[in-house]
Amino acid sequence: MIALARNSAITRFMQDLVPTSGLASRFVAGAQVEDAIQTAKRLKSQKLSTSAFFLGEYVTDRKKVDANVAGILAAIAAIDGAEVNLHISVDPSQVGYAIDDEFGANNIMRIAKAIREKTVSGRKTLMLDMEDEDYVQRTIELHNSLADAACPVAITIQAYLRRSEVDVRALAKRGAMVRLVKGAFVGSPQTAFTARHEIDANYRRLASLMLSTEAREAGAYPVFGTHDEKIIAALREEARDNGWMPGTYEVEMLFGVRPILQQSLAADGCSVRLYLPFGRDWWPYAVRRLGENPRNVWLVAKALIAQK
Ligand code: FDA
């Protein structure tokens, strides 16, 4: 699925021919930031917060990086006046890290500062997504330098990686906002857990570290990026036992994935955020969602049939 997501010919074909397919609209708010804002407002009325994501990843062309950065900055300006959370997720590879670290760091600093300067009420966040293993150390260093510069930054950590326990401990000590996910990539046994039960067990271990008293006292804000009902139930119980009040941590899910679970958690008083992608480059994102649940594959077939 990752190879399919990164195949530029297929991406062009799908995006040109089926811009409004069921596959796209299931997982993506729409092509424009206005679509994302409208969807965010609708979700807000259901007690669901959002994190906007401007689609476009693994960009190796500087002009395209510039276009991504301009798109993200325009989105920040538009969201600022719209009475929805100013919470933006960014892939380092979409803003220059796939070309050159310094170029990427300068771009991300512009984005972080733009978020910091806004006076919108509520939690303002630049959430760094985590990509494949090449990006992990660089993204953690980027997070730490933005946090040291008093930018409202948060970071995603993947439970499938063996190194993540050390990373979570260090980030918890800093009082960081960490979004824990299982990981959308496959690693080698030397660096990664490869069996599903091992990844799940590590997720639980890392979640416990994030919900420790030490993390709470350091001012950490845990975010659990998962649709795993059992894990969510267990960590909510652990949070209660450890004195984490509702609103001091959150569960985050992907727009379009398990909407009934999203709504029932929100109705039960859990803070729930949805990762809300928007933009024209929907194919690589949507196809990765398929990889997470092969039962979704029929959506591809439908998308192809729809354009005939
Ligand atoms: P798991 O895969 O075990 O699924 C739990 C249940 O949810 C199952 O019943 C499953 O069928 C259902 N489900 C999961 N995905 C589904 C889908 N697409 N469609 C339908 N049902 C589905 N990864 C990464 O490497 N870097 C990142 O930065 C991020 N960022 C991120 C943000 C947020 C908010 C989320 C929720 C996820 C990510 N991910 C990610 C993806 C993450 O690593 C992981 O691949 C998926 O969330 C699937 O794992 P679950 O924890 O949901 O468990």
Side-chain angles (χ1 to χ4, degrees):
M1 283 296 177
I2 287 168
L4 192 57
R6 292 185 187 170
N7 183 306
S8 54
I10 295 177
T11 298
R12 259 196 319 275
F13 173 79
M14 290 302 291
Q15 291 181 170
D16 287 349
L17 290 179
V18 284
T20 55
S21 73
L23 176 59
S25 58
R26 159 95 191 258
F27 297 113
V28 174
Q32 309 298 332
V33 66
E34 289 74 23
D35 301 320
I37 290 172
Q38 226 170 45
T39 307
K41 284 186 174 169
R42 177 173 61 74
L43 293 167
K44 189 180 171 189
S45 72
Q46 300 167 16
K47 295 195 167 68
L48 297 164
S49 312
T50 43
S51 181
F53 175 67
F54 182 80
L55 289 159
E57 50 195 79
Y58 291 101
V59 181
T60 50
D61 172 334
R62 280 179 187 256
K63 278 195 183 135
K64 284 191 182 152
V65 167
D66 291 344
N68 279 348
V69 174
I72 294 167
L73 291 172
I76 291 167
I79 291 171
D80 183 34
E83 291 178 8
V84 293
N85 266 189
L86 186 51
H87 191 299
I88 307 283
S89 290
V90 173
D91 282 2
S93 75
Q94 73 178 151
V95 293
Y97 269 81
I99 300 171
D100 171 65
D101 281 11
E102 199 184 330
F103 177 51
N106 287 338
N107 285 333
I108 213 113
M109 185 55 90
R110 284 172 64 202
I111 293 167
K113 283 187 175 160
I115 294 175
R116 188 178 63 189
E117 279 157 16
K118 299 298 175 203
T119 53
V120 62
S121 63
R123 184 180 281 277
K124 295 185 287 186
T125 307
L126 168 61
M127 173 62 81
L128 300 175
D129 293 338
M130 192 60 86
E131 300 171 87
D132 62 58
E133 279 183 71
D134 277 356
Y135 286 82
V136 175
Q137 186 58 33
R138 295 190 281 158
T139 304
I140 291 174
E141 285 167 10
L142 172 64
H143 166 272
N144 293 347
S145 67
L146 289 171
D148 291 344
C151 290
V153 67
I155 187 165
T156 308
I157 294 289
Q158 299 151 318
Y160 87 106
L161 289 179
R162 293 181 188 276
R163 61 170 286 166
S164 291
E165 181 171 343
V166 173
D167 295 332
V168 164
R169 284 185 190 280
L171 287 160
K173 226 183 233 169
R174 290 182 71 105
M177 178 171 174
V178 173
R179 175 210 273 154
L180 181 63
V181 299
K182 290 187 186 176
F185 302 87
V186 180
S188 72
Q190 286 75 37
T191 56
F193 298 105
T194 52
R196 181 170 280 269
H197 71 272
E198 287 180 319
I199 297 170
D200 288 358
N202 200 39
Y203 194 103
R204 294 288 304 275
R205 221 175 1 253
L206 300 181
S208 291
L209 290 174
M210 289 165 61
L211 289 171
S212 64
T213 310
E214 295 72 30
R216 185 159 50 76
E217 286 172 355
Y221 186 86
V223 180
F224 300 104
T226 182
H227 314 91
D228 191 322
E229 220 169 330
K230 276 195 194 146
I231 287 186
I232 293 171
L235 63 84
R236 286 184 78 198
E237 202 177 310
E238 191 167 348
R240 255 192 311 271
D241 291 348
N242 290 356
W244 292 80
M245 306 302 283
T248 59
Y249 71 96
E250 62 188 46
V251 170
E252 189 172 349
M253 298 193 209
L254 304 178
F255 175 68
V257 176
R258 306 204 71 181
I260 295 169
L261 177 61
Q262 296 167 2
Q263 281 162 12
S264 73
L265 285 168
D268 195 38
C270 180
S271 298
V272 181
R273 185 178 303 282
L274 301 189
Y275 187 88
L276 185 64
F278 70 95
R280 207 180 160 279
D281 287 342
W282 59 271
W283 171 254
Y285 176 84
V287 89
R288 273 216 308 282
R289 303 292 73 82
L290 300 178
E292 287 157 3
N293 188 345
R295 275 177 298 177
N296 288 336
V297 164
W298 67 272
L299 286 167
V300 172
K302 257 180 76 177
L304 286 164
I305 291 161
Q307 58 82 30
K308 281 196 170 166

